Amino acid sequence: DIQMTQSPASLSASLEEIVTITCQASQDIGNWLAWYQQKPGKSPQLLIYGATSLADGVPSRFSGSRSGTQYSLKISRLQVEDIGIYYCQQASSAPPTFGGGTKLELK
Amino acid sequence: EVQLVESGGGLVQPGRSLKLSCAASGFTFSDYNMAWVRQAPTKGLEWVASISYGGSNTHYGDSVKGRFTISRDNAKSTLYLQMDSLRSEDTATYYCARPPHNNRYFDYWGQGVMVTVSS
């Protein structure tokens, strides 16, 4: 199975700050990478697919990028509603596997 | 509007069975593969099982293979997960999720249903 290593595990940031979360794949997955946001008590919501494509309705302050087998999720100006846990997931091969999550809190 | 509504969760003793359902609406259910993803309390996400749009192909995670069975009734637009020989480590919130065509990520998720395995 492909392993997805996400970092950091937790992150504290201020409003309007730039936030970056990374995910390292254990092997080449091309652009088959998705990012999800999970708010407390809610189900995960798709943010990014294809490593860089924004899902419908997702604010433009979210963006995704790729460098080799390392993937990044960037929030350009952190807002209160962005607080939650973020997960990456590889969609390259079965079984689909998720990163361990990054808990984003407000400083 | 796409909606996925899970039901059937609850408290069950180790070794017993439980069957989850996921009622789908807002899209042509029979056109899409479907999946179950679970999340143990305070833990991350774990893919459990997937089924093809027609129901003929199924795939399972190693931790549930041989104990869980995914199925679907396209006439009822409903997805199922039959869980047998339940263990304490199966305690989790179970989500029904829909992947887009020819993809393995999930663009729609249900609200989740809690399953607690305990004596």
Side-chain angles (χ1 to χ4, degrees):
Chain A
D1 297 0
I2 297 174
Q3 306 302 314
M4 305 301 294
T5 303
Q6 206 173 322
S7 61
S10 63
L11 176 57
S12 182
S14 303
L15 289 176
E16 303 291 325
E17 189 175 333
I18 297 173
V19 171
T20 301
I21 298 167
T22 62
C23 195
Q24 178 72 46
S26 62
Q27 63 189 70
D28 181 25
I29 60 170
N31 286 330
W32 296 98
L33 190 283
W35 290 97
Y36 302 90
Q37 175 194 61
Q38 186 175 32
K39 296 183 180 181
K42 300 294 186 181
S43 55
Q45 298 286 306
L46 179 67
L47 291 176
I48 302 279
Y49 63 95
T52 60
S53 297
L54 218 57
D56 289 345
V58 175
S60 59
R61 62 180 179 275
F62 289 91
S63 63
S65 63
R66 170 195 174 191
S67 176
T69 56
Q70 181 165 290
Y71 301 80
S72 297
L73 173 69
K74 177 182 171 182
I75 308 173
S76 60
R77 295 171 61 185
L78 185 67
Q79 303 297 303
V80 171
E81 58 267 31
D82 300 335
I83 299 311
I85 303 177
Y86 291 81
Y87 295 94
C88 63
Q89 180 227 324
Q90 68 82 14
S92 172
S93 62
T97 47
F98 294 85
T102 295
K103 186 174 184 179
L104 177 57
E105 298 175 316
L106 212 51
K107 189 182 290 183
Chain B
E1 179 194 5
V2 172
Q3 285 199 321
L4 300 170
V5 180
E6 301 95 336
S7 60
L11 174 64
V12 60
Q13 293 179 327
R16 303 298 292 266
S17 299
L18 201 62
K19 187 172 185 177
L20 305 182
S21 299
C22 170
S25 61
F27 66 103
T28 304
F29 182 72
S30 57
D31 284 350
Y32 287 83
N33 298 341
M34 294 294 295
W36 289 97
V37 177
R38 70 183 180 183
Q39 185 172 35
T42 72
K43 300 296 184 183
L45 300 166
E46 178 190 15
W47 168 78
V48 173
S50 292
I51 187 167
S52 60
Y53 58 90
S56 57
N57 292 313
T58 57
H59 303 277
Y60 298 92
D62 288 343
S63 60
V64 307
K65 202 172 293 182
R67 300 187 300 121
F68 288 13
T69 303
I70 188 172
S71 63
R72 64 192 297 159
D73 184 335
N74 285 343
K76 295 182 178 179
S77 295
T78 303
L79 178 72
Y80 302 102
L81 186 67
Q82 175 68 43
M83 303 184 293
D84 299 322
S85 303
L86 282 161
R87 306 167 180 167
S88 58
E89 54 264 38
D90 296 318
T91 294
T93 296
Y94 285 75
Y95 296 101
C96 168
R98 191 195 82 169
H101 292 301
N102 300 317
N103 269 290
R104 293 188 182 91
Y105 66 88
F106 306 104
D107 57 355
Y108 288 96
W109 298 65
Q111 87 286 353
V113 63
M114 184 68 198
V115 173
T116 303
V117 184
S118 174
S119 54

